């Protein structure tokens, strides 16, 4: 049976690193589900609101041909519940999260992909500030 893959992220100021990881996640199975951090979750996680609001970030990610399903992630603590609810066979994340989700190995495979070098939302904000 086709594998269900899940990944999580904020995907603020959507860039090539985001496309690359989502494409890699999609290549692991037949159904890609993406949990997108809510504006409030991002505030609690990174101490700032994303530049793009959650409804826009959802719309952007949903528009990718290899993304099948999108939902808003409201709490980092609910990760196991999301994995169960969406019946994920594989959890895939960028390697900035390496080791952080290994505890879910009991219910799904956990995979970390290398990040795309030299691009990040934080860096884009810094560059834009200094223009
Ligand atoms: N990413 C990447 N290469 C980059 C930048 C980001 O591969 N140059 C990946 C990250 O590793 C992550 C995904 O893109 O897997 C989304 O990145 P962020 O939006 O920064 O996600 P983050 O805020 O880290 O949220 O529950 C986990 C968190 O919600 C992850």
């Amino acid at each position: 049976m086709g594998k269900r893959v899940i990944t999580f992220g904020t995907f603020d100021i959507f860039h090539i690193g985001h496309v690359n990881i989502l494409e890699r996640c999609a290549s692991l199975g037949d159904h890609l589900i993406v949990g997108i951090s809510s504006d409030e979750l991002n505030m609690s996680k990174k101490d700032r609101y994303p530049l793009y609001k959650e409804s826009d970030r959802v719309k952007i990610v949903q528009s990718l041909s290899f993304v099948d399903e999108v939902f808003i992630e409201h709490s980092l603590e609910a990760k196991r519940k999301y994995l169960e609810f969406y019946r994920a066979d594989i959890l895939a994340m960028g390697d900035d999260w390496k080791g952080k989700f290994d505890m879910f190995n009991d219910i799904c495979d956990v995979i970390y992909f290398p990040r795309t070098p030299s691009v990040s939302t934080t860096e884009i904000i810094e560059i834009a500030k200094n223009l």
Side-chain angles (χ1 to χ4, degrees):
M1 214 188 66
K3 294 224 186 284
R4 296 168 62 84
V5 185
I6 197 165
T7 190
F8 296 86
T10 308
F11 304 102
D12 191 23
I13 316 182
F14 197 80
H15 59 65
I16 191 68
H18 296 143
V19 180
N20 288 340
I21 189 144
L22 291 172
E23 197 176 43
R24 283 168 165 172
C25 290
S27 73
L28 294 172
D30 302 294
H31 191 84
L32 177 59
I33 304 143
V34 185
I36 301 196
S37 302
S38 68
D39 292 339
E40 290 304 328
L41 174 57
N42 199 77
M43 183 57 172
S44 68
K45 202 165 64 169
K46 296 185 183 167
D47 218 26
R48 64 166 179 82
Y49 284 106
L51 270 73
Y52 292 180
K53 60 180 193 247
E54 64 193 34
S55 55
D56 289 350
R57 291 182 287 111
V58 162
K59 193 167 178 181
I60 289 167
V61 173
Q62 213 159 31
S63 72
L64 296 166
S65 57
F66 42 82
V67 170
D68 298 288
E69 222 175 316
V70 165
F71 69 95
I72 293 186
E73 179 184 28
H74 290 284
S75 162
L76 292 179
E77 281 72 51
K79 203 144 262 129
R80 184 173 288 273
K81 287 220 161 52
Y82 293 127
L83 297 177
E84 287 168 351
F85 180 81
Y86 288 100
R87 291 178 286 110
D89 300 299
I90 301 169
L91 166 61
M93 293 293 299
D95 63 5
D96 43 327
W97 292 92
K98 202 172 180 100
K100 298 272 164 52
F101 297 116
D102 289 355
M103 67 279 226
F104 302 123
N105 253 322
D106 58 333
I107 52 168
C108 62
D109 291 338
V110 181
I111 290 173
Y112 304 98
F113 286 118
R115 277 169 67 92
T116 301
S118 328
V119 57
S120 77
T121 298
T122 312
E123 199 179 320
I124 293 167
I125 294 172
E126 284 309 311
I127 291 167
K129 266 189 198 163
N130 296 324
L131 283 179

